[in-house]
Amino acid sequence: MEHIRTPKVEQVRLLDRFSNKSTSGTLHLTATHLIFVESNADGAQEIWILHHHIGSVEKLSLTTSGCPLVIQCRNFRVVHFVVQRERDCHDIYSSLLRLLRPVSYEELYAFSYNPKQNEQQREEGWQLIDLGAEFERMGVPCDQWQLTDVNRNYKICETYPRDLYVPITASKPIIVGSSKFRSKGRFPVLTYFYQEKKAAVCRCSQPLSGFSARCLEDESMLQAISKANHNSRFVYVMDTRPKLNAMANRAAGKGYENEDNYSNIRFQFVGIENIHVMRTSLQKLLEVVGTRSLSVNDYLLGLESSGWLRHVKAVVDAAIFLTKAVTVEGASVLVHCSDGWDRTAQVCSLGALLMDPFYRTIKGFMVLIEKDWISFGHKFADRCDQLDGDPKEVSPVFTQFLECVWQLTEQFPQAFEFNEWLLLQIHEHVHSCQYGNFLANNQRRREELQLKDRTHSLWAFLLSEGQNYLNPAYCHTYADSHPVLEPSTLPCHLKFWRNMYHQFDRSMHPSNRQLEDTIMKLEARLQKHGISPPPQTPRPPKDQRTLLNHTRPHSLILGAPLSLKEAQHQEEVGEEAKKCCSDTERTVEGSSGSERKESYGDLQGTYGANVEPAVVSLEFGVARMTC
Amino acid sequence: MEFSEHIKTANVEDVVLRRPFHPPMQGTLCVTGHHLLFSNRDGDSSRLVLLLLRNIDAIEKSVENLLGYSSLFSSTGQSQRPSVSSGTITLKCKDLCVLQLDIPGMEECLNIARSIEYLSSLDIVSDMYPFFYRPLKLSLQDQWGLSSPEQNYAQMEELQDRWRLSHVNKDYSVCPSYPPAVIVPHSIDDETLVKVAKFRQGGRFPVLCYYHRKNGMVIMRSSQPLTGANRKRCREDELLLQAVIDGSGLGYIIDTRSNQQAQQARMTGGGFESKSSYSCWKRLHRQLERGKVLQESLIKLVEACGDHSHSVDRWLSKLENSKWLSHVHTALATAGLLAECVERDGHSVLVHGSEGTDATLLVSSLAQLILDPNTRTLDGFLGLLEREWLLAGHPFQHRCAHSAYSHARLRLEAPVFVLLLDCVWQLARQFPLAMGFSEPLLLRLAREVYASDYGTFLCNSDQERCAAGVKERTHCLFQFLLKPSEREHYSNPLYEPTELAIWPSIQPQSLQLWRGLFLRWTQHAVHLEKAQEELRNLVIECRGAS
């Protein structure tokens, strides 16, 4: 609280990023949120921005209308305020600067967030996802794979979970030896078991091979993985990095497996770029799509030059390779990158999603994230910039994974139980720090922070309103006919994910009340014959509203792929446009000299009678009329 | 005329047909005057594939025992050819499907290729298939067309005090590309219209095409005025336009050419409405591409979609290079502007380019879809197409003679109508509840406009259609699509009528490639189509139950 100098500023204007529309209202600064309340009497809109969501704040130079403040959020919301007095603007600016750079975990919202649950509910929430049960579901432990307690105290590898599954023939000395030969001690462990062919997907980090070093225990470890699968005489080793990067690592004493030293491996590079390339690529993409009056050509060229879809394709391609090796050849695969917590997590989890229909259900998808991302130590704190840290460690690796999943849901509309909205919600909360699940970089740290005792679980919240995330096109029998998904990665099948990167841009998602009526009607109809529509969620308590009120697509049952989904993109009413048209800056075709600022409303009444030149602002173009 | 003289080989056995989504099939190929018939007898079951020759856009042949020659013509993806003398014909269709026929016997192959070449590009209207198509369930006595200008006029009572139906063009003498009856301001008599027609290219004088009930404003369309280099004026033309805005005092003219193009048009006798002569009209220029540029854009787009290389960069740059989405963008933006002038700004608009038969119709019909809920039903949309495209004289025969694969020299081809369908698809995608018709309807129209069993899209104008006896001797596609059996399939089960205007988002991020049309024949399209179908059934089921 001590950081907040000005809790409330009035007469602040909010400019639309893509049009000349603007609204005015009051800005409130609380300990957790920045809130903008439109001053419009009825149907006033509120925008709640959680401090953790703010990626950057920028104060632009003073203009005649006030002092502009541009806030970029990690959920890709960009807001542009104009504050009348510079002093107010500066106060908010400096408060935010401090508030959005928490230095310790305890400052994060999750530790103060209280959704009015009792202790028992909270604890139950944390028990909803059980990874032990998940490995059991896969059929592990079994005659070839066992649970090992070597990492019981996080002694062998502090970024791995406590419970790890290894081949039964991998003895403790082999494990210890192998872990010493792997970057950060991340030795090969099981992450997915394809029961049908007894083929395993294992993950690890790069070997410390340098130019010539070898490690017999590590070689035995791979041998053990190979032996655990009778279907195939060899193991694929997938290095998800570009070959050049892997080779460069050799100079630093790291590198990749030498096929001569390991018997029965097939080594393969798949060429996914590193976190820095991905960060830059997304930045470029956002720059392009954030441009005002972007032409179609510049958009397509920008999409191309950002390389983002190329990277998305590379990740999906790698997952397809993994899936084919396991399901078609019945071979086990060991996946790694450098440290085995970014690209490896992407490829293993996407591969599992393609192979196993369970992960395409709501619960299964949570299990998948819990397993491959949270428990295996994807560095959420660093990658999502939860604490004030090294900006070079920040990277949209998880966002990219969600996008890959979205691309799949677009290609297989019936295969997924969940809709796009679940992906957006997960993305929202990975950055919100409102729930404990994604805090910190690994399980060990999470236990130190006692997150399960002090915070709430996102999974419980999402499951409690699971109906909002149901994909109406989901077909339960689809999994029987298509147990393994074979997506196309032809470039023409990859799309720009507008609802992720423009979720908050109103001008791209016109909406109106009429649509909501329609939805209510449809819901009522569905209810009549027992297809349960999502419940009408009551207005949430204030501190939750940021998540429910503004990020929810207007359509809930229509939140599905295919044509249904675009319902959220319904009619923009003339009225709304009129309202928004007020007070706009206008460029005028062929105009010379001074322009009068005129509100649309004024104009209508006086048109025809007025002999003064009048200016009309048209959303689709700009015209000037002279009477 | 006898088709048989062009069919040297009518039957060939043991032909292999390869087409998307199906395993290769062996069977008998038969050439008739209008079709390729492929039948395959597999035990008891026999399968029949019927291809309208008119649908074939390009044909490529390669013959096996002419060494060197074959490599010139060999198309991709044919590795194993029969060893003895044989040939392969690749058929690229106007619906963008590509088929391949492996034909034993070089002679037969060449004969068939020659027949296809000739018969697929007949240019006498009365030789075309619609004149021979006689399905059992349709009768030539059925009504042809959905409505007439008279009926349209009669339905709009509210405009009748200021607007009248003129029969000045009843024998097509004033404007050959207009229907016999048009709606014009009440105060303008037929004599004046005749004079105005002389001042407008092709006689296309300004006529009413849409009346906005909310505020009484209208959309007019015409061709360019023939002002020429010495800035000729026409009193009557000015009077007519003045009568349009009588009372409101102001109007917009949306010229679908750039300012510069409009200026240049004066050199060839055309021109634009100058400020000095039309002081109450404000001109807005929005450059819409037409003709060759548009056709080439389609060719490039289809080429890009057929390139199955795995480079994302290459795909995006080809897509960009085709400029197709830019054309979609411009069309929607201009239509939005037009609709905005009428609805939000409350003024009447005249829209024209040069001939007023292409971009003009595109913009005026899209604006009507945005503004008028009646045009968004299945019946209303087909009615709109009839009014704004068929009766308004879009030269379909010229524009749709060839599609994206043809090697023929481009003449008057331009995919303006396909562009319209694409724009409508974008609207429907953005407003999935607002349209009463479905994507399959748009796809069907995109196919029928190039090759059809029905006479609807034959000829270039109403006059030509009457002269050729189209209305008496062919069946009407629109009537057919509205039959109960078809209606179901082409309706949108999610349809919820709304009285509001639907303002599309025209940000590039909101526009998408129309996969249903352009990527229809890729392997991937199958399960998407299936999913769509199942989803549709689900919705219909839900609706039925409630």
Side-chain angles (χ1 to χ4, degrees), chain B residues 379-415:
Chain B
D379 302 74
F381 179 61
L382 294 178
L384 176 77
L385 295 183
E386 183 175 76
R387 250 179 19 246
E388 287 297 278
W389 290 79
L390 293 166
L391 292 175
H394 176 67
F396 279 104
Q397 199 183 336
H398 289 151
R399 298 294 180 257
C400 300
H402 288 288
S403 176
Y405 288 125
S406 173
H407 304 302
R409 201 167 56 86
L410 291 183
R411 286 177 308 188
L412 298 164
E413 288 83 356

Side-chain angles (χ1 to χ4, degrees), chain A residues 310 313 414 566 569 600, chain B residues 310 313 344 429-430 534:
Chain A
R310 191 176 67 222
K313 176 175 155 56
Q414 295 166 288
E566 267 87 21
H569 198 268
Y600 200 96
Chain B
H310 269 270
D313 293 3
R344 293 193 185 157
R429 209 184 63 81
Q430 292 191 19
E534 276 174 38

